[in-house]
Amino acid sequence: MDQMTKRPMPTEEGILAFHRRCEAFYPADAVDASIEQQRQWYDALCAEFDAPSPAGLTREDRLVDGRIPIWRYWPATVSTKTRIYYIHGGGFVVGSLNSHDAICAELADFAGAELVSVDYRLAPEHVWPAAFEDCYAVLQELLADGRPVVVAGDSAGGNLTAGIVLKARAEALAGIVGQVLIYPGLGGDLVSGSYVEMAEAPGLTTADTSYYRKILQAPADNPFAAPLAEKDLSGLPPTYITGAFFDPLRDDARIYAARLATAGVNVTFREEPQMIHAWLRARHMSEGAREGFRRLAEGVAVLAGTR
């Protein structure tokens, strides 16, 4: 806890330096700005934390259903038929193929697997279920040729990942061999648990989360939009969940992991004790983020069958 401000704060210098660097590009009150300004700030932030691509990695861009942009990544060595399908975060408001490019490239390379990322429609121009429908349409195409898929996503992308996996189960869509949820927002109660304890956490506040929910206009009682509303989690694929201690979304990850385990799902849960929301971007400047990313990449590789 920061004794001057009473805000919950980690003590690892690397993640604190990361947070200071973020706020130089994306201020704490960014949600008060116009949507256009938020996206400009976010793009600048993502560019600041860009990283070189692994040697030998190639990309291809194409459209699904003639309208949904995707990027396909091939590492120098592909060791599995399983594909990773990555859905980016950004509160459903910001983010793009570019914003998570380096993260996707490094995950593909570590796992030795082809990876596909999606550029879904954003709010407020496109409210729920536009993003959900885009992500599900890409999933359907990826599964159509019979190759296994691991679905992964961070933050809002974690929400979309969990939601489309639930829909795939409801529609008996076969071929998903794993899901990976990275500090996901899963529709938890905004007035209890970590939403209260970490309400003023660095990087993401509970007020920010409320803003993103309101702008998306998703039904809180629909499990595809709020996966914690799902009563029966049995029959879901093996799952890797990683959360951050200093994050209002922390308990969403904890609760979903526990409920998956209770339902008999093979679940691995890891919580990063010194991390804040969006710590993936700190993987090259924070020891905790570096270790968390290594564990995450190993979890993805295990689900993809290369570890």
Side-chain angles (χ1 to χ4, degrees):
M1 185 76 72
D2 184 320
Q3 295 303 312
M4 296 296 293
T5 65
K6 302 301 182 183
R7 295 180 67 193
M9 295 290 287
T11 56
E12 190 214 272
E13 182 51 41
I15 200 65
L16 291 173
F18 165 76
H19 176 57
R20 291 191 294 269
R21 199 164 158 190
C22 285
E23 289 207 322
F25 287 85
Y26 201 79
D29 60 353
V31 297
D32 296 329
S34 69
I35 297 297
E36 180 182 9
Q37 180 65 79
Q38 289 183 51
R39 290 174 182 161
Q40 289 175 357
W41 282 336
Y42 190 75
D43 289 347
L45 169 68
C46 296
E48 174 69 8
F49 292 101
D50 202 7
S53 291
L57 181 129
T58 59
R59 297 170 180 77
E60 174 190 81
D61 63 292
R62 57 179 295 266
L63 296 176
V64 169
D65 288 348
R67 63 175 186 84
I68 308 169
I70 64 170
W71 280 358
R72 303 177 80 134
Y73 297 75
W74 287 276
T77 301
V78 176
S79 305
T80 177
K81 291 183 178 179
T82 300
R83 281 182 291 216
I84 303 163
Y85 173 29
Y86 196 91
I87 305 173
H88 72 77
F92 307 97
V93 172
V94 299
S96 64
L97 294 170
N98 278 305
S99 68
H100 287 62
D101 175 62
I103 292 167
C104 288
E106 290 173 36
L107 284 176
D109 185 71
F110 188 98
E114 178 188 342
L115 183 147
V116 173
S117 66
V118 58
D119 196 17
Y120 55 85
R121 288 171 290 175
L122 298 175
E125 297 92 337
H126 305 282
V127 298
W128 200 88
F132 178 86
E133 290 175 343
D134 289 351
C135 293
Y136 193 70
V138 173
L139 177 64
Q140 288 176 301
E141 173 157 305
L142 291 176
L143 292 171
D145 64 3
R147 290 175 57 186
V149 171
V150 173
V151 190
D154 68 283
S155 194
N159 170 282
L160 290 163
T161 293
I164 65 173
V165 169
L166 286 170
K167 183 171 183 177
R169 183 192 62 170
E171 297 191 348
L173 191 61
I176 301 174
V177 296
Q179 65 173 337
V180 178
L181 311 179
I182 305 161
Y183 37 79
L186 302 173
D189 182 356
L190 292 179
V191 293
S192 66
S194 58
Y195 285 104
V196 174
E197 183 185 349
M198 296 294 162
E200 296 298 327
L204 182 75
T205 66
T206 297
D208 294 338
T209 305
S210 178
Y211 164 84
Y212 291 129
R213 287 190 187 182
K214 288 176 182 176
I215 209 167
L216 183 64
Q217 300 179 38
D221 59 350
N222 185 327
F224 298 161
L228 282 170
E230 176 57 56
K231 304 300 183 186
D232 178 15
L233 297 178
S234 62
L236 290 173
T239 301
Y240 185 98
I241 300 179
T242 182
F245 181 81
F246 293 92
D247 185 353
L249 304 185
R250 182 192 68 204
D251 287 359
D252 282 22
R254 287 182 179 179
I255 293 167
Y256 205 63
R259 289 190 54 208
L260 285 168
T262 300
V265 175
N266 180 355
V267 58
T268 299
F269 175 70
R270 180 179 169 87
E271 184 173 285
E272 301 302 333
Q274 282 289 311
M275 293 299 99
I276 65 176
H277 195 75
W279 60 259
L280 285 190
R281 296 194 187 282
R283 66 196 182 281
H284 296 303
M285 62 181 297
S286 153
E287 286 301 319
R290 184 177 294 109
E291 176 64 9
F293 188 77
R294 183 183 70 81
R295 295 293 191 96
L296 166 66
E298 287 177 348
V300 172
V302 168
L303 293 173
T306 58
R307 289 291 173 106

